[in-house]
Amino acid sequence: MNALADAPARSEMPAPPPPPAPYGMLAELTHRCPLQCPYCSNPVELERRNGELDTETWLRVFSEAGKLGVLQVHLSGGEPTARRDLELMIGHCVAVGLYTNLITAGVGVTPERLRAIADAGIDHIQLSFQGADAQTTDHVSNFPGAHGRKLAVAREVRRLGLPLTVNAVVHRANIHQIPAFIELALALDARRIEIAHAQYYGWALRNRGALMPTRAQVFEALAIVEEARERLKGRLTIDAVVPDYYAKYPKPCMNGWGRQSLNVSPSGKVLPCHAAETIPHLDFWNVREHALADIWTGSPAFNAFRGTDWMPALCRSCERREIDWGGCRCQAMAIAGDAAATDPACHKSPLHAHMLALAETDAVTADAYDYRRYL
């Protein structure tokens, strides 16, 4: 008997089920930003103001996100408050049932603007700090007076009764300040602090040598975070993201490529993750030409690394293949030069030792920053 003759034709094979609806969407409203942070993970080539989506298109995208099943939207940038139509967008997100989080640097936000944002119905505000004190914040952001402005915004956020998250991106210049960051969050009556080690994509990759902490600093920081989590349980939620360069296993980046979330760039490109444009061969569909639901299910970029079929043999045979989902494709691109390679953060990767060596070399490099500027 010919087994091939009895097999159904390819055209008769059942189509794979569509992916579940995404939980979250990062809406990068603009790349404009007053700060010049060297750890910025936005693309090296920022999108220009004249290419940004107009208000009407963003409102359509938010409506489509709600219908698709998105539960929460994060309004980000750059600096999202640079958009004069921000309040209109917030109100529309609320109207279509999206939990709405504003991610801001805070330096240009007046009390009047905050009240307008609150009146529009914002659910939550996430405020970035580059340091736990004025000297560090102002130096890292290259914005004199930034720290004082952020403190004023944080206090106004809580006075308005809005929940607050303190976002601290940590690296060699401020990793020793983690206890002070936690105390700052408590003093500002924040419900949550996100301690996120710099992730080396986009502009941050240029500054890796000036940002990378030592292995000893990273593991000391982890111990501090775990102790604080236990001590402050029920009072302050502490989330932490460690640098992959010192990891044994890769993190499940975005909880798996194209599984739970999507990003929309200022010009309308829809990305499976924040740094996906560092992978040169991917075809990113745009909301100007495609509906969000069609992009989620049919975009070549989303389907490129979705699931496990794309994985190299080493990953496909691994017991963790549906735990870490192959790790970070952008990191594989940055270190291995191949987005389909095993993530070098994994100790099974042939490039794992090379990645660790890069970290150990960078951790003793000079501290001079190549500051990011929106030109």
Side-chain angles (χ1 to χ4, degrees):
M1 179 179 292
N2 187 337
L4 291 177
D6 289 344
R10 182 174 294 274
S11 61
E12 297 173 0
M13 295 289 287
Y23 297 152
M25 182 174 81
L26 178 67
E28 297 177 314
L29 304 181
T30 180
H31 278 163
R32 288 174 277 154
C33 186
L35 304 187
Q36 300 179 9
C37 303
Y39 60 74
C40 179
S41 58
N42 276 338
V44 172
E45 295 296 328
L46 295 174
E47 295 182 2
R48 312 315 303 169
R49 179 175 184 173
N50 60 9
E52 294 174 5
L53 296 179
D54 60 22
T55 306
E56 182 179 356
T57 304
W58 271 119
L59 298 186
R60 172 177 62 79
V61 170
F62 294 135
S63 294
E64 291 179 358
K67 291 177 181 177
L68 179 58
V70 170
L71 300 178
Q72 56 186 3
V73 62
H74 305 278
L75 304 175
S76 182
E79 174 49 55
T81 61
R83 295 278 306 221
R84 295 181 180 179
D85 52 0
L86 176 62
E87 291 86 341
L88 181 59
M89 294 188 196
I90 293 169
H92 187 79
C93 288
V94 173
V96 300
L98 296 170
Y99 182 91
T100 309
N101 174 40
L102 177 66
I103 304 173
T104 178
V107 296
V109 185
T110 64
E112 294 75 20
R113 187 81 192 275
L114 270 178
R115 284 194 293 272
I117 288 169
D119 290 344
I122 196 72
D123 290 298
H124 181 271
I125 291 182
Q126 188 167 330
L127 180 63
S128 68
F129 279 84
Q130 288 68 42
D133 57 40
Q135 181 179 5
T136 306
T137 297
D138 296 0
H139 170 63
V140 174
S141 67
N142 204 25
F143 191 107
H147 194 76
R149 295 190 187 196
K150 290 169 183 288
L151 293 176
V153 167
R155 293 179 183 122
E156 183 66 14
V157 166
R158 294 302 295 127
R159 193 190 69 78
L160 291 167
L162 295 170
L164 172 69
T165 287
V166 168
N167 183 44
V169 177
V170 297
H171 41 82
R172 193 162 71 242
N174 64 8
I175 192 170
H176 63 285
Q177 294 185 332
I178 286 179
F181 274 122
I182 293 171
E183 291 305 313
L184 176 64
L186 291 170
L188 295 174
D189 193 28
R191 293 186 180 179
R192 173 176 169 267
I193 181 171
E194 180 176 311
I195 300 170
H197 284 259
Q199 300 297 303
Y200 300 105
Y201 316 111
W203 194 265
L205 189 57
R206 286 193 175 191
N207 283 287
R208 189 178 62 192
L211 296 169
M212 183 69 71
T214 66
R215 184 183 183 91
Q217 286 176 315
V218 168
F219 283 90
E220 180 182 359
L222 287 174
I224 291 170
V225 166
E226 288 307 312
E227 183 279 329
R229 277 177 171 161
E230 187 63 28
R231 175 169 48 88
L232 299 171
K233 188 179 297 183
R235 185 179 175 192
L236 179 69
T237 298
I238 304 176
D239 291 332
V241 179
V242 301
D244 291 343
Y245 283 64
Y246 293 112
K248 181 178 181 181
Y249 294 108
K251 65 179 181 292
C253 189
M254 310 302 293
N255 289 314
W257 183 280
R259 292 190 67 246
Q260 295 185 354
S261 62
L262 47 80
N263 292 26
V264 184
S265 82
S267 68
K269 287 178 286 187
V270 186
L271 315 175
C273 79
H274 179 66
E277 287 184 275
T278 61
I279 303 175
H281 69 274
L282 294 182
D283 177 16
F284 301 106
W285 287 3
N286 195 297
V287 295
R288 300 179 197 266
E289 292 88 33
H290 299 273
L292 198 63
D294 292 340
I295 297 172
W296 176 250
T297 58
S299 164
F302 277 83
N303 288 317
F305 303 111
R306 191 175 250 154
T308 59
D309 288 347
W310 64 269
M311 291 181 178
L314 181 62
C315 300
R316 201 163 51 246
S317 62
C318 181
E319 69 280 1
R320 293 178 57 87
R321 64 186 176 278
E322 293 187 6
I323 297 174
D324 57 40
W325 298 98
C328 180
R329 298 301 89 221
C330 303
Q331 193 156 257
M333 186 72 225
I335 305 299
D338 179 5
T342 300
D343 186 341
C346 180
H347 73 285
K348 298 180 182 181
S349 165
L351 287 174
H352 184 68
H354 171 65
M355 187 174 188
L356 181 58
L358 287 174
E360 291 173 342
T361 299
D362 285 341
V364 295
T365 305
D367 294 330
Y369 296 145
D370 185 3
Y371 283 109
R372 155 133 273 173
R373 291 175 174 82
Y374 185 87
L375 301 175

